[in-house]
Short mmCIF file of all heavy atoms in Angstrom, two decimals:
data_model
loop_
_atom_site.label_atom_id
_atom_site.label_comp_id
_atom_site.label_asym_id
_atom_site.label_seq_id
_atom_site.Cartn_x
_atom_site.Cartn_y
_atom_site.Cartn_z
N ALA Z 210 -138.10 -97.01 -179.01
CA ALA Z 210 -136.88 -97.48 -179.67
C ALA Z 210 -137.11 -97.65 -181.17
O ALA Z 210 -138.20 -97.97 -181.62
CB ALA Z 210 -136.42 -98.78 -179.05
N ASP Z 211 -136.03 -97.49 -181.93
CA ASP Z 211 -136.09 -97.70 -183.39
C ASP Z 211 -135.59 -99.09 -183.78
O ASP Z 211 -135.95 -99.61 -184.83
CB ASP Z 211 -135.26 -96.62 -184.10
CG ASP Z 211 -135.77 -95.22 -183.82
OD1 ASP Z 211 -136.91 -94.92 -184.26
OD2 ASP Z 211 -135.06 -94.47 -183.18
N LEU Z 212 -134.71 -99.67 -182.97
CA LEU Z 212 -134.23 -101.02 -183.13
C LEU Z 212 -134.15 -101.61 -181.72
O LEU Z 212 -133.96 -100.89 -180.73
CB LEU Z 212 -132.85 -101.09 -183.79
CG LEU Z 212 -132.67 -100.54 -185.19
CD1 LEU Z 212 -132.17 -99.09 -185.11
CD2 LEU Z 212 -131.68 -101.37 -185.98
N VAL Z 213 -134.24 -102.95 -181.63
CA VAL Z 213 -134.13 -103.58 -180.33
C VAL Z 213 -133.21 -104.78 -180.49
O VAL Z 213 -133.31 -105.60 -181.39
CB VAL Z 213 -135.50 -104.02 -179.78
CG1 VAL Z 213 -136.28 -104.92 -180.74
CG2 VAL Z 213 -135.36 -104.68 -178.41
N LYS Z 214 -132.26 -104.88 -179.53
CA LYS Z 214 -131.38 -106.02 -179.41
C LYS Z 214 -131.84 -106.86 -178.24
O LYS Z 214 -132.11 -106.34 -177.14
CB LYS Z 214 -129.95 -105.55 -179.17
CG LYS Z 214 -128.95 -106.64 -178.77
CD LYS Z 214 -127.68 -106.05 -178.19
CE LYS Z 214 -126.77 -107.11 -177.61
NZ LYS Z 214 -125.62 -106.52 -176.87
N THR Z 215 -131.94 -108.18 -178.43
CA THR Z 215 -132.36 -109.05 -177.36
C THR Z 215 -131.71 -110.43 -177.52
O THR Z 215 -130.87 -110.64 -178.40
CB THR Z 215 -133.90 -109.18 -177.31
OG1 THR Z 215 -134.32 -109.75 -176.07
CG2 THR Z 215 -134.44 -110.01 -178.48
N SER Z 216 -132.08 -111.35 -176.65
CA SER Z 216 -131.54 -112.71 -176.72
C SER Z 216 -132.22 -113.51 -177.81
O SER Z 216 -133.38 -113.25 -178.19
CB SER Z 216 -131.75 -113.42 -175.36
OG SER Z 216 -131.19 -112.68 -174.31
N MET Z 217 -131.54 -114.54 -178.31
CA MET Z 217 -132.15 -115.48 -179.24
C MET Z 217 -133.07 -116.42 -178.44
O MET Z 217 -132.70 -116.89 -177.36
CB MET Z 217 -131.08 -116.29 -179.94
CG MET Z 217 -131.63 -117.39 -180.84
SD MET Z 217 -132.33 -116.76 -182.37
CE MET Z 217 -130.91 -116.96 -183.46
N ALA Z 218 -134.26 -116.63 -178.97
CA ALA Z 218 -135.19 -117.55 -178.31
C ALA Z 218 -134.66 -118.99 -178.36
O ALA Z 218 -133.88 -119.35 -179.23
CB ALA Z 218 -136.57 -117.47 -179.00
N LEU Z 219 -135.11 -119.76 -177.45
CA LEU Z 219 -134.82 -121.20 -177.47
C LEU Z 219 -136.15 -121.98 -177.45
O LEU Z 219 -137.02 -121.70 -176.60
CB LEU Z 219 -133.99 -121.61 -176.24
CG LEU Z 219 -132.55 -121.05 -176.21
CD1 LEU Z 219 -131.86 -121.48 -174.92
CD2 LEU Z 219 -131.75 -121.54 -177.41
N PRO Z 220 -136.34 -122.88 -178.40
CA PRO Z 220 -135.42 -123.19 -179.50
C PRO Z 220 -135.37 -122.04 -180.52
O PRO Z 220 -136.27 -121.24 -180.60
CB PRO Z 220 -136.00 -124.46 -180.14
CG PRO Z 220 -137.47 -124.39 -179.82
CD PRO Z 220 -137.55 -123.70 -178.48
N ALA Z 221 -134.28 -121.99 -181.31
CA ALA Z 221 -134.01 -120.85 -182.18
C ALA Z 221 -135.11 -120.59 -183.20
O ALA Z 221 -135.38 -119.45 -183.55
CB ALA Z 221 -132.66 -121.04 -182.86
N GLU Z 222 -135.72 -121.67 -183.68
CA GLU Z 222 -136.76 -121.46 -184.71
C GLU Z 222 -137.96 -120.69 -184.18
O GLU Z 222 -138.69 -120.05 -184.95
CB GLU Z 222 -137.22 -122.81 -185.29
CG GLU Z 222 -137.73 -123.78 -184.28
CD GLU Z 222 -136.65 -124.75 -183.77
OE1 GLU Z 222 -135.45 -124.41 -183.88
OE2 GLU Z 222 -137.02 -125.82 -183.29
N ARG Z 223 -138.12 -120.66 -182.86
CA ARG Z 223 -139.25 -119.91 -182.29
C ARG Z 223 -138.95 -118.41 -182.21
O ARG Z 223 -139.81 -117.63 -181.87
CB ARG Z 223 -139.63 -120.47 -180.94
CG ARG Z 223 -140.23 -121.88 -180.99
CD ARG Z 223 -140.95 -122.25 -179.73
NE ARG Z 223 -142.08 -121.35 -179.47
CZ ARG Z 223 -142.79 -121.36 -178.33
NH1 ARG Z 223 -142.44 -122.22 -177.36
NH2 ARG Z 223 -143.80 -120.53 -178.17
N MET Z 224 -137.72 -118.03 -182.59
CA MET Z 224 -137.44 -116.60 -182.69
C MET Z 224 -138.32 -115.94 -183.71
O MET Z 224 -138.58 -114.73 -183.64
CB MET Z 224 -135.96 -116.37 -183.02
CG MET Z 224 -135.48 -114.94 -182.84
SD MET Z 224 -135.50 -114.47 -181.06
CE MET Z 224 -135.20 -112.70 -181.17
N ALA Z 225 -138.80 -116.70 -184.66
CA ALA Z 225 -139.71 -116.15 -185.70
C ALA Z 225 -140.98 -115.56 -185.05
O ALA Z 225 -141.55 -114.59 -185.57
CB ALA Z 225 -140.06 -117.20 -186.70
N GLU Z 226 -141.41 -116.14 -183.95
CA GLU Z 226 -142.58 -115.62 -183.24
C GLU Z 226 -142.28 -114.23 -182.66
O GLU Z 226 -143.15 -113.34 -182.64
CB GLU Z 226 -142.99 -116.57 -182.12
CG GLU Z 226 -143.37 -117.96 -182.55
CD GLU Z 226 -143.56 -118.89 -181.37
OE1 GLU Z 226 -143.89 -118.42 -180.27
OE2 GLU Z 226 -143.32 -120.12 -181.54
N VAL Z 227 -141.06 -114.05 -182.19
CA VAL Z 227 -140.64 -112.80 -181.59
C VAL Z 227 -140.59 -111.69 -182.66
O VAL Z 227 -141.15 -110.60 -182.46
CB VAL Z 227 -139.28 -112.95 -180.89
CG1 VAL Z 227 -138.86 -111.62 -180.26
CG2 VAL Z 227 -139.34 -114.06 -179.84
N THR Z 228 -139.93 -111.96 -183.74
CA THR Z 228 -139.79 -110.96 -184.80
C THR Z 228 -141.12 -110.63 -185.43
O THR Z 228 -141.40 -109.46 -185.79
CB THR Z 228 -138.80 -111.42 -185.88
OG1 THR Z 228 -139.23 -112.65 -186.46
CG2 THR Z 228 -137.41 -111.60 -185.29
N ALA Z 229 -141.99 -111.65 -185.57
CA ALA Z 229 -143.32 -111.41 -186.19
C ALA Z 229 -144.19 -110.54 -185.31
O ALA Z 229 -145.09 -109.85 -185.81
CB ALA Z 229 -144.01 -112.75 -186.44
N SER Z 230 -143.91 -110.49 -184.02
CA SER Z 230 -144.73 -109.72 -183.11
C SER Z 230 -144.30 -108.25 -183.02
O SER Z 230 -145.04 -107.43 -182.46
CB SER Z 230 -144.64 -110.31 -181.68
OG SER Z 230 -143.40 -109.96 -181.05
N CYS Z 231 -143.12 -107.93 -183.54
CA CYS Z 231 -142.51 -106.65 -183.26
C CYS Z 231 -142.52 -105.70 -184.44
O CYS Z 231 -142.13 -106.10 -185.55
CB CYS Z 231 -141.09 -106.88 -182.79
SG CYS Z 231 -140.26 -105.41 -182.14
N PRO Z 232 -142.90 -104.45 -184.25
CA PRO Z 232 -143.00 -103.49 -185.36
C PRO Z 232 -141.67 -102.85 -185.72
O PRO Z 232 -141.59 -102.05 -186.69
CB PRO Z 232 -143.97 -102.44 -184.86
CG PRO Z 232 -143.80 -102.45 -183.39
CD PRO Z 232 -143.50 -103.89 -183.01
N ILE Z 233 -140.60 -103.11 -184.96
CA ILE Z 233 -139.26 -102.53 -185.25
C ILE Z 233 -138.28 -103.67 -185.52
O ILE Z 233 -138.50 -104.79 -185.07
CB ILE Z 233 -138.78 -101.60 -184.15
CG1 ILE Z 233 -138.63 -102.36 -182.81
CG2 ILE Z 233 -139.68 -100.40 -183.99
CD1 ILE Z 233 -138.03 -101.53 -181.67
N PRO Z 234 -137.17 -103.39 -186.19
CA PRO Z 234 -136.17 -104.45 -186.44
C PRO Z 234 -135.60 -105.03 -185.13
O PRO Z 234 -135.32 -104.29 -184.18
CB PRO Z 234 -135.08 -103.71 -187.24
CG PRO Z 234 -135.76 -102.54 -187.84
CD PRO Z 234 -136.80 -102.09 -186.86
N VAL Z 235 -135.45 -106.34 -185.15
CA VAL Z 235 -134.92 -107.06 -183.98
C VAL Z 235 -133.54 -107.60 -184.31
O VAL Z 235 -133.35 -108.26 -185.33
CB VAL Z 235 -135.87 -108.24 -183.58
CG1 VAL Z 235 -135.27 -109.04 -182.44
CG2 VAL Z 235 -137.24 -107.73 -183.22
N LEU Z 236 -132.58 -107.32 -183.43
CA LEU Z 236 -131.23 -107.88 -183.54
C LEU Z 236 -131.03 -108.84 -182.38
O LEU Z 236 -131.58 -108.63 -181.29
CB LEU Z 236 -130.19 -106.79 -183.47
CG LEU Z 236 -129.96 -105.90 -184.71
CD1 LEU Z 236 -131.14 -105.00 -184.97
CD2 LEU Z 236 -128.70 -105.08 -184.55
N VAL Z 237 -130.22 -109.90 -182.61
CA VAL Z 237 -129.93 -110.82 -181.51
C VAL Z 237 -128.52 -110.63 -181.03
O VAL Z 237 -127.64 -110.32 -181.80
CB VAL Z 237 -130.17 -112.30 -181.90
CG1 VAL Z 237 -131.65 -112.57 -182.06
CG2 VAL Z 237 -129.43 -112.66 -183.18
N ALA Z 238 -128.35 -110.84 -179.72
CA ALA Z 238 -127.05 -110.77 -179.11
C ALA Z 238 -126.26 -112.01 -179.51
O ALA Z 238 -126.81 -113.09 -179.73
CB ALA Z 238 -127.17 -110.69 -177.62
N GLY Z 239 -124.93 -111.87 -179.56
CA GLY Z 239 -124.07 -112.99 -179.96
C GLY Z 239 -123.75 -113.95 -178.83
O GLY Z 239 -123.27 -115.06 -179.08
N GLY Z 240 -124.02 -113.53 -177.60
CA GLY Z 240 -123.76 -114.42 -176.48
C GLY Z 240 -122.33 -114.36 -176.00
O GLY Z 240 -121.52 -113.61 -176.52
N PRO Z 241 -121.97 -115.21 -175.01
CA PRO Z 241 -120.63 -115.20 -174.44
C PRO Z 241 -119.60 -115.76 -175.41
O PRO Z 241 -119.95 -116.39 -176.44
CB PRO Z 241 -120.76 -116.10 -173.21
CG PRO Z 241 -121.88 -117.02 -173.57
CD PRO Z 241 -122.85 -116.19 -174.39
N ALA Z 242 -118.32 -115.58 -175.08
CA ALA Z 242 -117.26 -116.15 -175.90
C ALA Z 242 -117.41 -117.66 -176.00
O ALA Z 242 -117.78 -118.32 -175.01
CB ALA Z 242 -115.90 -115.76 -175.29
N ALA Z 243 -117.14 -118.20 -177.18
CA ALA Z 243 -117.34 -119.62 -177.44
C ALA Z 243 -115.98 -120.28 -177.67
O ALA Z 243 -115.49 -120.26 -178.77
CB ALA Z 243 -118.29 -119.84 -178.61
N ASP Z 244 -115.42 -120.90 -176.62
CA ASP Z 244 -114.13 -121.54 -176.76
C ASP Z 244 -114.22 -122.77 -177.68
O ASP Z 244 -113.21 -123.17 -178.28
CB ASP Z 244 -113.58 -121.97 -175.39
CG ASP Z 244 -113.32 -120.81 -174.47
OD1 ASP Z 244 -113.04 -119.72 -174.99
OD2 ASP Z 244 -113.38 -120.97 -173.24
#
Side-chain angles (χ1 to χ4, degrees):
D211 299 294
L212 300 95
V213 55
K214 168 195 172 189
T215 195
S216 304
M217 176 73 96
L219 293 177
E222 56 267 22
R223 292 197 63 189
M224 192 68 189
E226 300 171 27
V227 181
T228 59
S230 77
C231 189
I233 61 175
V235 177
L236 285 69
V237 289
D244 296 334

